[in-house]
Amino acid sequence: MAYKLLRFKAISRILLIIFVVLSLSGFIEYESDNLYSYQWGLKNIGNFLVDKELLRSNYTPTYFNKSTNDMMFYNDKNMISYLSSTFLANNSMIAKSGFDINWADGYEYFKNIPATRDVIVAIIDTGIDINHYELTDSIWHNDDEIPLNGIDDDNNGYVDDITGYNFYGKNPVVLPEVNSEVHGTHAAGIIAAKHDNSGIRGIAYDEHVKIMPLKVLDSNENGFMSSVTEAINYAKNNGATICNISLGTYTYDRNIDNIIKENPDMLFVVSAGNGLDFVGYSLDDRDVYPAKLDYNNVITVSNVSFNGDRYERANYGSYVDVFAPGTYILSTTPNDTFAYLTGTSMAAPYVSALCAMIYTRFDKVPTSEYKRIIMNGVTPIESLNGLCKSSGIINVYETLKLANTFAGGNKWKTTF
């Protein structure tokens, strides 16, 4: 029996804001990725661009495609209200300079270590625009299936599943149904957007990292628990090691619990959720699943903001393992567009990307140790003390160094 996901939704509950002019004086461009300077979570220079007047005049955040000619609009007055005073100045967002995941140093370290194996990251979410110019090189392909012949060539139970599967619609179409279905595409870009391609930079972009699109939610971000369980099974049977699950439900489901518990060699990176009525709450007091499944292979992630504090809507508590950037995160959206989104749904892909980096470079590290290594590698943040197990934000460079030490058989002091 398929249960309706009782608000088993993409629990960012999308907060969409503005991306406008690509280069203004005072903002740095990085090689050919002219949007990298707006990815504060990767490299925080103390500010990033917004359009203050447009936000105030009509409450219509806008995002543009790469030619800036084709626009789509969202309304989110709650976000506008949040941003309307202290955080805005001269069309730029004021941030805490240097507060980021130490990605630049970490990525250099990562690229200088030879890959030992490939990794597939399953994104269990809404549809993904696999044709986005920043994502096409990073999409997983099922080479055992002949495209569009209406036959299950590999006998895996799914017809024409060339680039994943749509478990909500029961068909192989993984693309978004409408342009406003942006959630899954956004997560994919955070993890694996192509570098030096006139856009953003994916945290784990590499020829050894592939994204498997598994659609379980409709364009309104609703779905069924049974679809999530089926998607996890598909991911397992088709070679995925990491599942990014930026969604959740308030209702415990034994089937999801069992499939996660019974697959200790798979990693499940899940979002902590965004509270109620724009106020985050402790997961010790209220339920969100699978965020509250406390297994070694489950990493629960919450959302830290560009000012160094927990975002006010982000859940917290002893079931949360780490924080990652999740406020005003710029990434890919359908039809070659980009947008800022906010939520714990954006924080989870940061950690999925870090897991992918570890997996491709350090094959001697068992998946059961990933959570411990990531938690020991965090940058401790005083404002996060007691809000998660590690009291910190992920640090790519320090985590990869710890993974390297662990893989080399050396002893290292551990807190968790």
Side-chain angles (χ1 to χ4, degrees), residues 201-237:
R201 291 188 175 183
I203 296 168
Y205 174 70
D206 185 73
E207 62 180 330
H208 300 282
V209 177
K210 299 298 179 184
I211 297 295
M212 177 187 285
L214 301 179
K215 180 174 167 63
V216 299
L217 301 175
D218 66 7
S219 57
N220 293 316
E221 300 171 17
N222 290 305
F224 298 89
M225 294 178 183
S226 57
S227 296
V228 177
T229 304
E230 190 177 1
I232 293 172
N233 257 323
Y234 181 96
K236 169 191 171 183
N237 294 333

Side-chain angles (χ1 to χ4, degrees), residues 119-259:
V119 66
I120 299 170
V121 181
I123 296 183
I124 300 175
D125 210 294
T126 65
I128 294 176
D129 183 359
I130 60 176
N131 300 314
H132 196 294
Y133 77 98
E134 288 273 62
L135 298 177
T136 53
D137 288 353
S138 297
I139 301 299
W140 169 79
H141 290 270
N142 182 1
D143 294 331
D144 295 326
E145 192 78 6
I146 299 171
L148 304 178
N149 67 351
I151 299 172
D152 180 14
D153 300 288
D154 57 2
N155 296 311
N156 69 352
Y158 301 94
V159 174
D160 291 334
D161 55 322
I162 303 301
T163 54
Y165 201 74
N166 180 343
F167 296 94
Y168 183 88
K170 306 300 181 183
N171 61 62
V173 181
V174 299
L175 293 167
E177 299 170 32
V178 293
N179 289 336
S180 59
E181 187 181 322
V182 300
H183 199 269
T185 304
H186 197 271
I190 292 171
I191 298 170
K194 188 173 183 177
H195 291 192
D196 301 326
N197 201 39
S198 74
I200 63 167
R201 291 188 175 183
I203 296 168
Y205 174 70
D206 185 73
E207 62 180 330
H208 300 282
V209 177
K210 299 298 179 184
I211 297 295
M212 177 187 285
L214 301 179
K215 180 174 167 63
V216 299
L217 301 175
D218 66 7
S219 57
N220 293 316
E221 300 171 17
N222 290 305
F224 298 89
M225 294 178 183
S226 57
S227 296
V228 177
T229 304
E230 190 177 1
I232 293 172
N233 257 323
Y234 181 96
K236 169 191 171 183
N237 294 333
N238 289 276
T241 305
I242 301 164
C243 291
N244 187 91
I245 306 180
S246 288
L247 43 75
T249 178
Y250 302 128
T251 304
Y252 172 80
D253 184 79
R254 184 171 298 277
N255 290 327
I256 291 177
D257 188 327
N258 286 341
I259 196 171

